[in-house]
Structure formats: structure tokens, C-alpha cells
Amino acid sequence: ASQKPRPAEPGRRRPSVAVQIGKVKVGGTAPIVVQSMTNTDTEDPASTAKQIAELARAGSELVRITVNTPAAAAAVPRIAERLAMMGVDVPIIGDFHYNGHQLLEREPACAEALAKYRINPGNVGFGKKRDTQFASIIELALRYAKPVRIGVNWGSLDQSMLAALMDENALRADPWDASRVAREALIRSALDSAAQAESIGLARDRIILSCKVSGVQELIAVYRDLAARCDYALHLGLTEAGMGSKGITASSAALAVLLQEGIGDTIRISLTPEPGASRTGEVIVAQELLQTMGLRAFTPLVTACPGCGRTTSEFFQELAKTVQEHVREQMPLWRVKYDGVENLTLAVMGCIVNGPGESKHANIGISLPGSGEAPAAPVFIDGAKAMTLRGDNIANEFVGILDDYVAR
Ligand code: SF4
């Protein structure tokens, strides 16, 4: 049987109202969208535009920036101008907390340049002020014809909502446990805020919801419940997932369960980058999660055996790395060809034990010589042996074969 990722079963996706964010559609029948967030100071248009461009070139289809000060709001149109000069066309989302209503009112060019506003109902204000300030942002979204994401976060949950629910819970004959109460507070905060936005006049096709928490099981439980209670498009993400393998594993574990159940219209993988590391890692993880699940196709998928005592040198790992990096570097060019079409797979195998078999199942495969095998590397194209590579230039020759295949 083929080892290619199985396409997601049609009809499994949760129905949701599609939302247009600039040129990108989220929800409905649109593909699940990859998004990311910058970590530059938005007041610095040069570095922010540069990082947005890097994220977009890595495949981020939406990019969020924080807009937290008057200078940051003033910088937004300049960032948009720089991106246009760089030939980067990606919708920019403004992330607002506490003073979003003031910033958007004060900087019309910022309100115009952004493709969507993200509002955290827990960080809009308190008491009566909260309602009026939230309403102000929604009215600004209506004025500029922009969609909003109502993004609730466990770390900044509306405390009055939580207190009210705790009181309500105390009166139950069969009280919920604390985590159930917290989940309900998150979901009600999102749904009540969405209802308030609709009552002001924002249409359902202008609203996306998210309820982010940092625990895997909690996130799954929250989104299952939220998904069952509304048809708004949903943004998925495990907040504060962490660094390195922990962040990747936790995000993938949580999001994969939800995506498999058809929940989620756009995803962000919130990774803490290593010091000095590129921000694009979170985009690559998001793409690979969607692609390995058969939900999207971005680049050729590289299958490589883990290697073992039969591999005679590090050449095998180096070849697998070369191929993987080449595929990633070519991605902006190839993406158009691959998105939405069947996955193209590449196999890089370390010996004849599984090498020829796995290589035949891939579009292009190579089986390197293991210890005790003849110094020859057969290459298989579309299931048939096409040639045998020998010598010191196998990596470059194999990459050339791959490029020729893509060109054809
Ligand atoms: Fe080891 Fe060969 Fe299997 Fe790779 S294909 S893990 S080298 S036995």
C-alpha cells in the first residue's frame, strides 16, 4: 500500500461561516489557513516588515502583529508600504489589547491597512467600560469593513465572567469541577462577545473565534465544546506551547486531535524560538502538521528511514538533510504547484532492507548502499528503477533529478 498521507475524508469538516481576510478566506470550504505572529517591535517598520516578509515567504498565509502603542499604530501603514515595495502580499492582522479602540480611532491609516482586528475580550477594559470599549472596536470594524477575531485566552480571562460562573456553579445540585467552570467561562466569554458584536451589526461572516489555553487536554475539551455550540470559523492554537520539541509535540498533539474531528479553520503554532533562531519555525511546523495529516499539500514530503547500524557513514543523514532543505528552500516557488494537489513524496533510504520498497512507493526515491552492499544507489521514479548513482556527487545529482521531475 502507498505510504502517502491519506487525504482527509471529505465531509468531515465542521461547517463554519467563511470569513474573508484580505485575499484569504478562512472557514467554510476554504483550506485550513496557516498563520503566524511577529515578535519584532511594531514601532520599527523596517524590522517588522522584514520579519513579515520572512514569515510570508516561508508560507504563512496571514501574519499578526501587535499594535500596542500610538507609535506602533502609526507604523502600520509604513509597514504595509514596505511590504508592497518588497512585493509581499500577505494580509496583516492587528493584535489589540486595552487601547485598541483609541489606536484605531486615532490612526485611520492603520485601521485601513490592517486586514483584520484581533480583540481579546478579557483585555478590553473592566465593568461598564469593557462593554463600551468593546463596542467601539466593533463599530470601527464596521466603519472600515474589517473582520475581527474574538480571541479569548486563559491567561487573560474576563474575571467578572469567571466570578459569575463560580457563583452560578455553587448553586448547582451537581457542581462542576474547577476546570469545567474555567472552560465554560472561556467559551461564554467568546460567545457572549460574538453575540454583542452581532447585536452592534457585525455580520457572522466577519467573526472568527478562538479560546486558547496551554494544556493539551484542556484545549481539546474547550474546542470540542465551542465547535458544537456555534458555527463561527475557528482559529486553533495551543497558547504558550513552549520551546523546541516540547512546543512542537504539545501543539501537534492538541491540534491533530481537533483537526481530525474537522474542527479548526486556521491554525497558529505558538513556539518560543531559540535565541537568535528564525521565527519561521512555527510556520514550517504548521504546514507539516497539515500536510502529514493529508489536509493540505505545500511541499514534497520527504520520507527517510531513521538509519541504523547498516548505514555505513553520515552520508545518508547528510543526503536526507540536503533533500529536506532543498525542498524547503524551493517551497515559495513550488507552493503554487503543490497546494491543493496530491502530495508528492520523496524517499531517502539507508540500505536495501526497506530502501527499494519504500522508494518504489514514493514519486522519487533513492536507496543508498548500506554496509556490505555494492557502492551504488538506485533511484526510483514513479515506482520504476530509473538509474543508478555512484561516486561523490550523489546528493547534487539526486536534487537535480528532483528539480527535473518538478519542472515536468
Ligand atoms: Fe537501517 Fe536499512 Fe532500515 Fe534504514 S532501511 S533503518 S538503514 S535497515
Side-chain angles (χ1 to χ4, degrees), residues 73-144:
V76 170
R78 286 153 59 203
I79 291 167
E81 279 163 22
R82 280 176 181 264
L83 290 169
M85 280 164 49
M86 293 158 89
V88 176
D89 180 18
V90 64
I92 307 301
I93 301 161
D95 198 67
F96 294 98
H97 299 271
Y98 307 112
N99 56 356
H101 58 295
Q102 293 165 340
L103 299 177
L104 288 167
E105 190 69 65
R106 175 185 168 136
E107 293 289 345
C110 165
E112 192 57 64
L114 294 169
K116 185 178 71 163
Y117 310 150
R118 183 270 171 133
I119 317 164
N120 179 340
N123 287 347
V124 175
F126 303 101
K128 278 194 178 154
K129 251 188 168 183
R130 183 242 169 245
D131 286 349
T132 50
Q133 291 178 176
F134 181 83
S136 298
I137 296 191
I138 299 301
E139 280 157 11
L140 283 154
L142 285 167
R143 187 190 305 167
Y144 291 97

Side-chain angles (χ1 to χ4, degrees), residues 355-397:
E358 192 71 51
S359 297
K360 282 179 193 167
H361 289 311
N363 294 90
I364 304 179
I366 185 168
S367 180
L368 292 177
S371 59
E373 295 172 17
V379 174
F380 297 81
I381 298 178
D382 292 330
K385 186 175 167 188
M387 62 203 70
T388 300
L389 302 181
R390 293 184 172 83
D392 299 332
N393 202 26
I394 288 179
N396 286 336
E397 288 178 28

Side-chain angles (χ1 to χ4, degrees), residues 185-201:
L186 281 163
I187 292 166
R188 276 206 214 168
S189 177
L191 293 179
D192 288 0
S193 299
Q196 188 189 348
E198 282 199 61
S199 73
I200 296 165

Side-chain angles (χ1 to χ4, degrees), residues 248-382:
I248 294 170
T249 305
S251 293
S252 302
L255 268 55
V257 169
L258 292 165
L259 291 168
Q260 186 65 16
E261 294 176 9
I263 298 170
D265 302 293
T266 176
I267 66 170
R268 182 194 172 204
I269 305 288
S270 303
L271 297 180
T272 309
E274 300 282 345
S278 163
R279 190 71 165 175
T280 55
E282 66 176 55
V283 177
I284 293 169
V285 173
Q287 288 184 329
E288 289 180 346
L289 174 62
L290 293 176
Q291 183 153 2
T292 52
M293 291 186 70
L295 295 166
R296 294 278 305 262
F298 297 94
T299 65
L301 270 185
V302 180
T303 301
C305 79
C308 68
R310 292 180 63 91
T311 46
T312 50
S313 70
E314 286 189 358
F315 178 67
F316 158 69
Q317 286 105 305
E318 282 165 13
L319 178 64
K321 187 164 177 271
T322 300
V323 171
Q324 181 67 69
E325 287 177 354
H326 182 72
V327 161
R328 180 55 58 189
E329 279 164 18
Q330 295 300 315
M331 199 282 290
L333 202 63
W334 291 355
R335 184 166 138 209
V336 175
K337 297 178 189 231
Y338 285 100
D339 197 7
V341 301
E342 193 183 1
N343 276 303
L344 187 149
T345 54
L346 310 173
V348 180
M349 303 296 291
C351 79
I352 59 168
V353 170
N354 289 322
E358 192 71 51
S359 297
K360 282 179 193 167
H361 289 311
N363 294 90
I364 304 179
I366 185 168
S367 180
L368 292 177
S371 59
E373 295 172 17
V379 174
F380 297 81
I381 298 178
D382 292 330

